[in-house]
Amino acid sequence: MKDSDTSSADEAVATDLMAEADSGAREPTGRFNRSVLWIVPLLWSLFQLWIASPIPYQLGLFVVNNAQARSIHLAFAVFLAFTAFPTRKRSPRDTIPLTDWVTALLAAFCASYLYLFWDELAARSGAPSTQDLVFACIGVVLLLEAARRSLGFPLMAVAAIFLAYVFFGSSELIPDVIRWRGASVERAMSHLWLTTEGVFGVALGVSSGFVFLFVLFGALLNQAGAGNYFLSLAFAALGHLRGGPAKAAVIASAATGLISGSSIANVVTTGTFTIPLMKKVGFSPSKAGAIEVSSSINGVLTPPVMGAVAFLMTEYVGISYVEVVKTAILPAAISYVALLYIVHLEAIKMGMTGTSSRSPIRVMLSTVVAICGGIVIAGSVLWLSGRAVDLLGTMLGTAALPIAIAAFLALYVLAVRIGARRRDLDLSIDGMQSLPPTKEIFMSGLHYLLPIFLLMYLLMVERKSPGFSAFWSTSFMLLVLLTQRPLKALFRGEREWVTGMSTGFREAIDGLIEGARNMIGLACAMAVAGIIVGSVTLTGIGQVMAEFVQFLSGGHLMLMLVFVALISIVLGMGLPTTANYIVVSSLMAGVVVELSAQHGLVVPLVAVHMFVFYFGIMADVTPPVGLASFAAAAISGGDPLKTGFQAFFYSIRTALLPFLFIFNTDLLLIDVTWYHAIIVFLVATVAMLIFAAGTMGHFLTRSRLWESTALIVIALSLFRPGFWLDQFQPEWTHEPPAEIFALAEAAPDDTSLRVGFEGETLDGNFVSSTYLLPLGQAGRSGADRLSQSAGIDLVSRDGRVIVERIAFGGPAEQKGVDFDWTVTGIEVANDRLPKELFYLPTFAVLGLVIVIQRRRKRRQAATGDALSAI
């Protein structure tokens, strides 16, 4: 009875947290108010499905452009923010006050102003009327209040600071280093509200075009029972091991992270089950909460959704979605493997035992092999499906598509029939401890995997847009919700299939409403992030941030990265995942690119964005804010700060990865072959496990201080063997500027030249950096290759090589090179030994540590046996 009460209390806490964080805590009792909070979210979901579908274009009915769609999208969000979220935590939740109705309608009008007055605004572009400015000012203020209600104070405060800087940046109270001339109300509001440079910019466009559909897809998938299916599957596979519930929490959070866009939502969704079970087998409340937090944070870093950041990154970095997924997959995978190992070491240190008789190492290896095998099988199935569809298209022409759709639907019916032969899962806390075999659970929910397969197929194989892929996957999810219950009833010979159909219809409606309510805070966050991005572009504060970090670090590259990491954590405190990424990437990505180049380190832009994203997400763990840690502590009953610090300790391996892939982009699978990728994965996984053992102070047995230190050094050496090689042979040789034309002519096809430039920008700032200039096809003179492929013309004058012309929009201009700059030198790759040679001494030292620890472990075992005999 006591466990049941605890479980109910945990569920109540989780439900309340989810409501406050995502969907709104207000539950009015009046029929009208209830109807509004039922109808408006439903209309929002239907509107998003409508504009994503081909129907408006085929019928020529209610066709809106991207900017108009963003306006309507935000109008729904701010209206629901004022009606679904109370003004304060102590405000009544059973009614919607008149003041909230007034502000909700006014905010919705201001947000939809771009749509309502589209033609008028276009006619007076650049010269807004007094009416335009009044409603823009009201809209900004109400948007900040909507963000405060739905997301809390931090994001609103950050945006308010940037707004204050826009208007009062010229004040004498502002330090000289960040002072600017300031902006008038007309200029600021035109930039932030009446154009697509601020609130209605890229971030809100991604929210309206992609993110809503993915959040809706996840809500429908969860409504259908997929979240509980993944959770049960993880517990059945790992629950019987030493510290099994904690290991199951890691895998369950990984699976939930595939469909969840929020680390907090991930914590409360899976933590309701996993945290009580972890406590039951012996984990303290703070450790149980910390394991769940670390697992959930990793879920946000894991493709395909990455808290919607994957789609934003395609816009900001300018690469395809497939490239983003390829870049993110390896760090996320090895981080999860390491967390499993950390949990295993914790269980050993606490003396836990499991019901399985298998060797722990064998279990760990089989788990890793199963995860990797699942990825390989999924990739193979996707590839074979693509080839089969191509073959059908060749053979049948236009008839191939309906046949492929019919085959996919038949596969779905077959999967439901297989699932109908198994009993429904018991999802209570007690039921999680007596689950059927893993194979039975896996077969019972095969139809849940098909929507995810369809999404991945459209994104990865067909290379369709995220909006297109999410629309059709969401449409299929609606079909699943409507049909899974009646189909199961038919296959089981039950007569309740009509009841099952009505239940499925209610679940589909509930999923549409839940998906929209989960988007309220996220849409407000995207819009407020637009204020921050607009302020950065309007004021040029990004350049000031680079100078500030340069000053703090004293020109030292590693210190610079540490300061950027710390600033990213501070900026990300209290922000939802997507807004977190927008803020830290807008302010800090350019800082890393510029300062790295000044030290001769040319880092791919996607690696820089991954760096700031990882540390922005660490803010969800890090005290004193650490929203995910507070959510886990509320469920576990532990101390929030203690939970946060423990979670940060567990997440050190996640914090290590960004530093590593800045210096070793192989970890992001950038410009590596498939066999090299396999080697990188294996070595990186081993290195991360060794690093985890070093930080945990336990390897084969409890480690001594020198052994832990040696393990950490071994891990870092495996991650970046080039560090040791650099001490003997430099990576680059420096050639004089006069050699640039000869080197450009001799370079092979489709390579880049590392060129150092220095000079002043139009703003009067002195720059000295290294840039990668593409050279295109060989067979031309060096000057022609630089001019035609890099968009830069160089001339020799007075013993110097000077930039004479920059092509507008060309690669050199986009990288920031300016005319009249001087070439300082060219860096050419040095012919040196392969860096992998340093794996040999590294593994030799590892072998020494293993031998020493095995001997000590045997002595300890012998001593223990002798004491037992006495």
Side-chain angles (χ1 to χ4, degrees):
M1 184 68 181
K2 188 175 180 180
D3 290 340
S4 177
D5 293 341
T6 303
S7 173
S8 300
D10 290 335
E11 290 180 10
V13 170
T15 302
D16 194 49
L17 282 168
M18 281 285 285
E20 289 184 5
D22 289 319
S23 59
R26 188 171 273 160
E27 295 181 2
T29 54
R31 177 179 294 182
F32 178 76
N33 289 345
R34 281 205 318 271
S35 298
V36 169
L37 290 184
W38 188 87
I39 293 172
V40 175
L42 179 61
L43 290 176
W44 191 9
S45 289
L46 294 176
F47 164 74
Q48 295 291 159
L49 289 170
W50 174 266
I51 63 174
S53 73
I55 298 175
Y57 303 97
Q58 293 174 349
L59 300 179
L61 181 64
F62 193 54
V63 178
V64 294
N65 60 38
N66 289 335
Q68 292 171 324
R70 297 172 192 181
S71 179
I72 299 171
H73 177 79
L74 183 59
F76 274 113
V78 293
F79 178 85
L80 289 171
F82 283 105
T83 52
F85 289 85
T87 307
R88 296 181 300 274
K89 286 189 175 182
R90 295 183 180 180
S91 298
R93 301 186 179 189
D94 57 353
T95 186
I96 303 176
L98 179 61
T99 52
D100 282 358
W101 278 113
V102 172
T103 50
L105 292 171
L106 181 58
F109 175 79
C110 294
S112 58
Y113 195 82
L114 247 65
Y115 170 72
L116 296 173
F117 299 95
W118 180 258
D119 293 333
E120 292 87 341
L121 288 169
R124 55 177 180 264
S125 177
S129 66
T130 302
Q131 173 185 300
D132 298 338
L133 296 176
V134 167
F135 284 109
C137 291
I138 295 173
V140 168
V141 172
L142 292 182
L143 173 60
L144 292 177
E145 170 59 14
R148 185 198 65 80
R149 290 193 184 203
S150 57
L151 300 163
F153 183 74
L155 181 59
M156 186 198 94
V158 172
I161 291 171
F162 275 90
L163 274 177
Y165 180 66
V166 167
F167 292 114
F168 307 110
S170 60
S171 170
E172 294 182 358
L173 299 176
I174 303 295
D176 290 341
V177 69
I178 62 172
R179 188 180 303 167
W180 82 298
R181 63 181 179 275
S184 64
V185 172
E186 179 178 338
R187 184 185 176 197
M189 289 302 105
S190 295
H191 190 81
L192 296 177
W193 195 268
L194 301 176
T195 68
T196 55
E197 297 295 324
V199 170
F200 300 100
V202 172
L204 195 62
V206 171
S207 176
S208 173
F210 314 147
V211 176
F212 188 102
L213 293 174
F214 277 89
V215 171
L216 181 59
F217 175 76
L220 293 173
L221 196 58
N222 196 55
Q223 187 74 32
N228 294 327
Y229 168 71
F230 291 138
L231 186 63
S232 302
L233 198 59
F235 269 90
L238 301 173
H240 59 287
L241 304 177
R242 190 197 305 254
K247 293 173 181 173
V250 175
I251 300 300
S253 293
T256 304
L258 297 177
I259 58 175
S260 170
S262 165
S263 57
I264 300 170
N266 202 340
V267 166
V268 298
T269 300
T270 58
T272 305
F273 296 97
T274 61
I275 290 175
L277 290 172
M278 281 190 271
K279 289 168 63 179
K280 200 165 189 175
V281 298
F283 285 97
S284 67
S286 59
K287 287 188 176 181
I291 290 170
E292 179 58 47
V293 169
S294 298
S295 306
S296 299
I297 289 296
N298 263 49
V300 178
L301 301 173
T302 305
V305 178
M306 296 169 63
V309 167
F311 313 111
L312 279 167
M313 207 172 283
T314 62
E315 299 290 327
Y316 287 157
V317 181
I319 60 177
S320 68
Y321 171 81
V322 175
E323 286 296 314
V324 173
V325 170
K326 186 183 78 171
T327 298
I329 189 67
L330 183 57
I334 62 177
S335 193
Y336 262 120
V337 170
L339 184 56
L340 273 175
Y341 186 51
I342 287 172
V343 168
H344 179 69
L345 293 177
E346 279 284 17
I348 291 176
K349 290 166 67 176
M350 296 170 69
M352 294 181 182
T353 58
T355 58
S356 174
S357 59
R358 297 173 64 191
S359 163
I361 300 299
R362 186 178 298 175
V363 170
M364 288 292 297
L365 289 175
S366 62
T367 302
V368 173
V369 169
I371 294 172
C372 297
I375 294 173
V376 171
I377 291 172
S380 302
V381 171
L382 286 171
W383 183 83
L384 290 173
S385 301
R387 302 290 75 74
V389 171
D390 289 343
L391 182 61
L392 274 177
T394 303
M395 295 172 58
L396 303 175
T398 56
L401 181 60
I403 291 176
I405 293 173
F408 185 73
L409 293 176
L411 185 64
Y412 162 67
V413 174
L414 177 62
V416 175
R417 182 173 185 177
I418 293 172
R421 296 174 181 172
R422 276 80 183 170
R423 65 181 177 86
D424 292 331
L425 299 173
D426 180 3
L427 300 174
S428 65
I429 297 293
D430 292 333
M432 285 290 179
Q433 299 175 76
S434 55
L435 289 168
T438 306
K439 181 181 177 182
E440 287 295 303
I441 296 177
F442 177 74
M443 300 300 288
S444 71
L446 286 175
H447 61 290
Y448 294 133
L449 302 178
L450 291 178
I452 299 175
F453 169 82
L454 177 61
L455 178 65
M456 291 295 96
Y457 174 80
L458 293 174
L459 284 170
M460 308 291 287
V461 179
E462 293 291 337
R463 301 293 179 97
K464 300 296 185 182
S465 69
F468 179 93
S469 306
F471 169 75
W472 287 109
S473 302
T474 301
S475 300
F476 179 62
M477 266 313 309
L478 286 170
L479 178 67
V480 171
L481 278 165
L482 292 171
T483 60
Q484 65 171 347
R485 289 183 182 275
L487 284 175
K488 281 186 176 181
L490 285 174
F491 290 136
R492 289 171 176 172
E494 301 169 351
R495 296 185 177 181
E496 292 82 7
W497 65 271
V498 176
T499 304
M501 186 172 291
S502 63
T503 302
F505 180 78
R506 287 196 304 272
E507 288 178 342
I509 296 296
D510 289 343
L512 290 170
I513 294 170
E514 186 67 22
R517 294 192 63 158
N518 287 345
M519 268 299 299
I520 299 171
L522 191 52
C524 291
M526 295 284 213
V528 173
I531 293 177
I532 298 170
V533 173
S535 300
V536 171
T537 58
L538 185 62
T539 62
I541 187 66
Q543 179 63 38
V544 175
M545 291 295 295
E547 294 172 359
F548 177 66
V549 173
Q550 174 81 349
F551 170 75
L552 288 178
S553 63
H556 191 280
L557 179 60
M558 185 56 70
L559 277 179
M560 179 270 291
L561 292 174
V562 170
F563 280 121
V564 169
L566 292 175
I567 293 172
S568 297
I569 291 175
V570 172
L571 289 171
M573 285 184 175
L575 304 188
T577 302
T578 314
N580 186 325
Y581 166 70
I582 295 170
V583 172
V584 297
S585 63
S586 300
L587 285 175
M588 304 312 300
V591 174
V592 178
V593 170
E594 181 174 336
L595 298 184
S596 297
Q598 290 178 14
H599 291 79
L601 182 65
V602 181
V603 185
L605 189 56
V606 66
V608 175
H609 277 253
M610 289 289 289
F611 181 91
V612 296
F613 174 48
Y614 263 60
F615 281 105
I617 291 303
M618 287 295 290
D620 280 352
V621 176
T622 311
V625 180
L627 297 180
S629 298
F630 275 83
I635 299 173
S636 69
D639 178 75
L641 291 179
K642 192 173 181 181
T643 301
F645 282 116
Q646 186 68 55
F648 183 81
F649 176 71
Y650 288 152
S651 301
I652 287 176
R653 89 250 176 255
T654 302
L656 172 70
L657 283 170
F659 286 99
L660 295 171
F661 55 61
I662 284 289
F663 292 101
N664 183 8
T665 55
D666 288 354
L667 293 172
L668 298 178
L669 303 183
I670 295 175
D671 297 329
V672 298
T673 58
W674 66 268
Y675 55 85
H676 188 193
I678 294 174
I679 295 172
V680 169
F681 172 72
L682 294 175
V683 173
T685 301
V686 171
M688 187 55 78
L689 294 178
I690 294 170
F691 181 80
T695 56
M696 292 293 292
H698 199 288
F699 189 31
L700 301 181
T701 185
R702 188 174 297 277
S703 300
R704 292 174 176 148
L705 180 60
W706 74 267
E707 291 171 338
S708 294
T709 304
L711 290 173
I712 292 173
V713 173
I714 289 168
L716 296 177
S717 299
L718 292 175
F719 273 122
R720 193 177 172 231
F723 172 80
W724 301 110
L725 184 58
D726 291 344
Q727 311 309 309
F728 301 97
Q729 291 181 306
E731 186 176 2
W732 307 98
T733 58
H734 295 269
E735 300 294 336
E739 296 295 320
I740 187 169
F741 299 109
L743 291 170
E745 183 175 355
D749 289 342
D750 299 319
T751 55
S752 296
L753 200 63
R754 293 172 60 95
V755 184
F757 289 97
E758 67 179 19
E760 284 192 1
T761 65
L762 293 176
D763 297 329
N765 297 313
F766 182 79
V767 176
S768 179
S769 296
T770 303
Y771 300 87
L772 278 178
L773 299 181
L775 295 176
Q777 296 296 313
R780 297 169 292 169
S781 69
D784 286 344
R785 295 184 74 180
L786 288 166
S787 177
Q788 296 172 19
S789 299
I792 185 171
D793 289 336
L794 303 173
V795 294
S796 297
R797 186 184 304 156
D798 299 328
R800 299 186 302 160
V801 178
I802 299 173
V803 179
E804 184 179 48
R805 186 189 68 88
I806 291 287
F808 179 74
E813 193 265 346
Q814 291 179 357
K815 292 174 184 293
V817 181
D818 212 338
F819 72 93
D820 210 29
W821 282 15
T822 303
V823 176
T824 57
I826 302 93
E827 294 182 349
V828 180
N830 202 357
D831 185 16
R832 59 181 191 166
L833 296 170
K835 60 185 179 182
E836 288 77 13
L837 283 177
F838 284 88
Y839 286 155
L840 298 177
T842 302
F843 280 117
V845 176
L846 176 63
L848 177 63
V849 174
I850 291 174
V851 169
I852 292 172
Q853 289 213 354
R854 288 186 66 179
R855 288 178 178 174
R856 187 162 71 249
K857 187 176 181 180
R858 283 197 295 266
R859 288 198 303 269
Q860 291 169 347
T863 303
D865 292 340
L867 291 174
S868 299
I870 295 174

